Amino acid sequence: MILHARVEGALADAAGRSAARRVVESAWAGGATPIVVVSYDSATGELAASLAGSPAVLAEPAPVEVGPVGQMLRGIAVAAATVTETEAVLIWPGRLTWVDAETVTSLIEAFGSRRDDLLRPRYEGQAGWPVLVPVAAVPAMEAIDRSLMPDAVIEALARVAPATWTVDTGDPGVIHDIAEHLDSLPVYQGPPEPVAGRAPEWGAPAADMADDSPLSGPALAPYSQAAQEGD
């Protein structure tokens, strides 16, 4: 799930694409599916238009008062409704636009052998985003203080998770956000070794999709309080 607090952030320029579109393409190329963008849209539907032709589901956020953890739970609910076999979710703050697709693949592969753990990418010793959270952790997330910001939410979740494991990705994009220009990032090194054998190339053609391609798949998942509460 890709989280944007404001539509302006989702539409911000990220090396020629909207921030949301660029993250969607990286997630898809790395093998993530389904891909849920949790964000409001503009009155003219600019965000939906920028995601046209991508595999993303655009989901209306939960009410503001439920805080960041509530938005994370909203994204998990939409993902699980879209693909019922969903077992884990990558929680991805939309400002982290420079994450490489190989980082996504590494986290997905690592989940294969650590299915109960929180998984975080690491660059030069610093843990970053996106964070892979097993769906089994949802009950623990529901008990977290709604006022906590995303980093604090993950820290609180880590205290009750069976284990937290960081994956050395060699990817500066996991800690450097859109505030830093792509050309000014440290050199991408890549993971020192594959997490679990040779990395697949799922979804690689997505990077070639044009921004004005026809919209495919579900374009909008409106917020439903009843659905959020499981009624």
Side-chain angles (χ1 to χ4, degrees), residues 23-35 55 92 101 104 202-207 209:
V23 174
V24 166
E25 291 177 353
S26 293
W28 179 251
T33 186
I35 300 172
W92 195 324
V104 177
W202 296 309
M209 291 181 178

Side-chain angles (χ1 to χ4, degrees), residues 61 95 100 145:
R95 60 186 171 79
D100 192 86
D145 184 347

Side-chain angles (χ1 to χ4, degrees), residues 141-204:
M141 290 186 69
E142 291 173 339
I144 292 175
D145 184 347
R146 295 298 200 260
S147 68
L148 295 180
M149 292 294 102
D151 282 303
V153 169
I154 297 304
E155 290 172 4
L157 193 57
R159 288 195 288 271
V160 297
T164 299
W165 189 48
T166 59
V167 181
D168 186 359
T169 62
D171 180 5
V174 305
I175 61 172
H176 295 277
D177 63 21
I178 195 171
E180 298 191 46
H181 194 276
L182 180 61
D183 293 338
S184 67
L185 294 185
V187 175
Y188 175 83
Q189 301 167 3
E193 59 184 18
V195 174
R198 184 175 180 180
E201 297 180 357
W202 296 309

